[in-house]
Amino acid sequence: MAMRKRDDEVFPNAAGIDIGASSHWVAVPQHLAEQAGCEPVREVGAMTDDLNALADWLLGCGVDTVALESTGVYWIPVYEVLEQRGLKVWLVDARQMKYVPGRKSDVQDCQWLQKLMSLGLLRAAWRPDGEVCVVRAVARQREVLITEQASWVQRMQKSLVQMNLQLTEVLTDVMGQTGQAIIRAIVAGERDPKVLARHRHSRIKA
């Protein structure tokens, strides 16, 4: 791939970030690094203070756009901190970079990401705004809890059978009002069947 001149770059002040679990590698354009008197590549930590320091460095260099890989969930804090600091953040799929020829062997991932971003060869993934993200996170967590609830109910039913408490034979739903009242009484130490039966709802025919 023939390298364009800087005048032809779509995002001449773009940085690239290679996301990691405990640290991130960041590359800024060579001309911005020279103006700021710093190296164009830097490793930064993943803690909040580190990310704020990263934002300070990028803004100090004159970076206005940042491309970062959508690696697991590690990109989320980076994305949020940089966006809150006023930088335009592009979330990109790392697989995009594999299909662009011309990479040299001595170029780090963050540098290659920065170069492709500056040339406008990357596409940003859709990222909803803050309120939508919150609602989506709540909905996903609710789905997880519902799935886990079903699993724990099955475990509880198995434990009841092992103790020869055949609640499932007389109740269609042990998680209903009667089932929960009886189970709570058992957990509290009650063992008398007649006392436990008093927790039966009036609509239960068993």
Side-chain angles (χ1 to χ4, degrees):
M1 179 181 67
M3 304 305 292
R4 302 183 188 181
K5 296 180 180 179
R6 206 179 78 195
D7 292 341
D8 296 330
E9 292 180 343
V10 180
F11 301 103
N13 299 326
I17 303 179
D18 180 19
I19 299 294
S22 57
S23 66
H24 315 300
W25 283 93
V26 188
V28 299
Q30 183 66 39
H31 69 279
L32 293 184
E34 292 175 355
Q35 292 174 8
C38 63
E39 293 296 323
V41 177
R42 177 177 296 188
E43 183 182 18
V44 300
M47 300 299 180
T48 302
D49 288 344
D50 299 322
L51 299 182
N52 281 316
L54 168 62
D56 291 337
W57 178 57
L58 293 175
L59 292 170
C61 288
V63 169
D64 53 23
T65 307
V66 180
L68 53 89
E69 294 178 321
S70 55
T71 304
V73 296
Y74 300 119
W75 61 269
I76 297 177
V78 182
Y79 188 106
E80 292 179 345
V81 169
L82 297 184
E83 186 179 52
Q84 290 170 3
R85 296 294 298 275
L87 290 161
K88 183 176 179 60
V89 186
W90 282 44
L91 182 65
V92 300
D93 189 337
R95 291 174 296 183
Q96 293 183 43
M97 299 188 294
K98 296 180 180 179
Y99 301 109
V100 182
R103 177 175 179 172
K104 297 180 180 179
S105 59
D106 61 343
V107 174
Q108 292 181 249
D109 286 344
C110 59
Q111 291 176 297
W112 186 236
L113 184 62
Q114 185 275 322
K115 175 56 68 176
L116 296 182
M117 183 64 195
S118 68
L119 297 175
L121 297 178
L122 298 175
R123 290 184 300 174
W126 180 73
R127 167 74 171 170
D129 58 31
E131 292 183 357
V132 175
C133 285
V134 171
V135 173
R136 186 171 64 174
V138 171
R140 288 178 174 175
Q141 182 63 17
R142 180 179 182 275
E143 183 178 353
V144 169
L145 292 176
I146 290 175
T147 301
E148 291 181 349
Q149 179 189 34
S151 176
W152 281 106
V153 169
Q154 291 176 347
R155 295 181 186 182
M156 185 169 59
Q157 290 175 336
K158 182 178 180 180
S159 296
L160 290 171
V161 171
Q162 289 175 337
M163 292 183 288
N164 201 29
L165 297 173
Q166 304 293 340
L167 284 182
T168 55
E169 297 299 320
V170 294
L171 299 175
T172 57
D173 182 13
V174 296
M175 296 301 293
Q177 180 177 338
T178 296
Q180 286 297 287
I182 293 175
I183 291 173
R184 288 193 177 98
I186 293 173
V187 172
E190 184 58 63
R191 296 294 183 269
D192 190 333
K194 294 182 179 180
V195 175
L196 294 175
R198 294 173 188 167
H199 294 286
R200 182 185 63 184
H201 192 276
S202 59
R203 295 175 60 183
I204 300 295
K205 302 301 182 181

